[in-house]
Amino acid sequence: MDDLQPGRRVVVRYALDPGDTHSTSDALGVITDADEAGVEIDTKRGPLRIARAQILLVHEVPPAPTKAGRTHEIVSAVDLRRISAAAWLPQDVSWLHVENLRNEGSESGADMSLLQKGWLLRNSESATRRANSCLPVSDSGLGWEQALDAVEEWYRTREKPSRIQIYSADDSSALAPECEGLAPLLSARGYTPSEAVLLLTGATAEAAAGASSPAEAAAPGLLIDVADAPTPEHFAAWTSQRSPGDAPDSAEAFRALIAADQPCEFVTAYAAHPDGSRSMVAACRVVERSKWGVVTNLITRPDLRRRGAGRSVAQAAAALLAQRGVRSYLVDIEAGNEASINLFTSLGATVRHRSWYAEQR
């Protein structure tokens, strides 16, 4: 069952006794472990282990709301960070948690999958910070100082600088509980924070602005295309923004990273020419995770900005998600990118929280 993956919040209907479909029960929670024999779900009543032979039905559900309100406004900062991270995962990842460390030291450790809780460690040869940083998600069970020691060692073995993605619980500079204990340690160890990155959320139906399909979102003179793979033209546009100091192989790693999440789609606005040809003017990547849409890699040709192409792509992405019954979306935008922030706020999105990449120099 594809829905039985650690990190997903699900409702599982299961038989109380194997083979008996008349006596059943339901479990709601986040999957923390899954193997061939069964799954472990973190429910309100505590961990629950269910054998696969007893599972009758699995349905993925959005993260639990933290208060009353519209869907995109009531999910916690840590769940938003989980969703965002799930849409941009490199191959080299690990979960820092005391139970995982114990399993590694046991004789059967090699046969046990990692519990997906604690701190998410990410490493890639790409230059993207989200794929090269540690994200505190839940208590690691190690204590702040010992956990940070383990993070630094993990990156040291990969010959990479230690980088932590810390975040606030709301649109302020006050860190969320999941990472608030890091502040004094990072300062004492010489970590330098990056510019703030804003996470905005919005309703797909509102952002689609009346478009019932991606094609209907096209501004005059533009055509909207939705594809399940990027073209060389997409990569040329994205890699043109690379820093001169990036490693030579980072572009290839970026290619592998951007197409790694399946399913993901690429929404593109093309300018139609009289001779029948077309040229790309704007594009973005759209991934669905936990019944949320994640919009990444929005780019517009520099000479055609402020002409509606970026707006057309954003609205088309929202229409695509709404068409599938996905009600909410999120997007991470650097605080200095006023054009993108203004675009999404004009489509009804609001800033939910801020994050920073603290790097050890």
Side-chain angles (χ1 to χ4, degrees):
M1 297 181 182
D2 291 338
D3 287 334
L4 294 176
Q5 296 181 10
R8 292 190 173 183
R9 185 169 183 260
V10 296
V11 172
V12 175
R13 176 156 294 175
Y14 62 99
L16 295 176
D17 295 304
D20 181 2
T21 59
H22 298 289
S23 300
T24 65
S25 185
D26 292 334
L28 169 64
V30 176
I31 297 175
T32 56
D33 188 26
D35 53 36
E36 293 182 0
V39 297
E40 181 177 295
I41 301 176
D42 187 12
T43 72
K44 285 186 176 181
R45 297 182 179 180
L48 174 66
R49 181 78 181 180
I50 306 174
R52 284 192 180 252
Q54 294 175 250
I55 297 174
L56 304 175
L57 180 68
V58 179
H59 180 63
E60 186 177 11
V61 295
T66 57
K67 57 185 178 181
R70 295 195 295 174
T71 303
H72 66 278
E73 297 175 338
I74 58 178
V75 175
S76 69
V78 66
D79 280 327
L80 291 174
R81 288 265 54 95
R82 278 181 179 270
I83 296 167
S84 180
W88 195 254
L89 281 179
Q91 290 187 341
D92 185 11
V93 299
S94 185
W95 283 91
L96 177 63
H97 190 273
V98 65
E99 293 180 36
N100 290 331
L101 295 177
R102 288 170 182 162
N103 290 340
E104 287 177 3
S106 68
E107 293 182 1
S108 60
D111 299 324
M112 300 182 68
S113 59
L114 289 175
L115 297 177
Q116 296 204 8
K117 59 183 179 181
W119 294 10
L120 175 61
L121 298 160
R122 303 167 288 190
N123 173 60
S124 169
E125 293 305 315
S126 74
T128 58
R129 297 176 299 182
R130 199 187 322 182
N132 286 284
S133 58
C134 169
L135 176 68
V137 174
S138 61
D139 184 6
S140 69
L142 295 170
W144 297 108
E145 191 161 3
Q146 188 178 353
L148 186 54
D149 288 342
V151 170
E152 292 175 355
E153 178 60 23
W154 195 83
Y155 284 104
R156 188 179 298 116
T157 61
R158 289 158 175 77
E159 299 182 341
K160 295 287 187 67
S162 176
R163 184 185 290 129
I164 317 286
Q165 186 180 12
I166 53 178
Y167 52 95
S168 64
D170 51 29
D171 185 15
S172 73
S173 59
L175 293 183
E178 291 77 13
C179 47
E180 63 183 356
L182 280 169
L185 292 176
L186 295 176
S187 177
R189 297 191 188 190
Y191 282 75
T192 303
S194 69
E195 175 186 41
V197 179
L198 310 184
L199 185 144
L200 291 80
T201 67
T204 56
E206 183 178 0
S212 60
S213 69
E216 291 182 10
L222 297 180
L223 301 172
I224 295 292
D225 176 76
V226 178
D228 58 7
T231 67
E233 193 174 7
H234 286 88
F235 283 117
W238 285 320
T239 57
S240 67
Q241 298 183 334
R242 293 173 62 225
S243 168
D246 290 346
D249 57 353
S250 66
E252 193 57 39
F254 174 79
R255 287 174 178 265
L257 180 61
I258 202 166
D261 282 308
Q262 296 296 335
C264 67
E265 290 170 296
F266 300 87
V267 179
T268 309
Y270 290 97
H273 303 300
D275 62 0
S277 63
R278 64 182 191 178
S279 56
M280 188 182 85
V281 294
C284 75
R285 175 177 175 269
V286 182
V287 181
E288 184 183 334
R289 289 290 181 271
S290 301
K291 301 300 181 183
W292 274 68
V294 183
V295 179
T296 73
N297 303 93
L298 176 63
I299 189 171
T300 304
R301 265 180 51 177
D303 59 327
L304 293 175
R305 288 173 182 163
R306 302 185 185 280
R307 298 188 183 182
R311 175 175 291 273
S312 291
V313 164
Q315 289 179 328
L320 175 68
L321 292 165
Q323 211 174 29
R324 295 179 176 169
V326 179
R327 298 171 60 187
S328 306
Y329 72 94
L330 67 82
V331 58
D332 284 289
I333 307 174
E334 292 187 355
N337 188 347
E338 294 184 7
S340 289
I341 293 171
N342 291 339
L343 167 60
F344 282 98
T345 54
S346 72
L347 295 176
T350 56
V351 177
R352 290 296 310 282
H353 72 262
R354 298 166 178 255
S355 66
W356 301 263
Y357 293 94
E359 184 172 335
Q360 192 174 42
R361 299 295 183 179

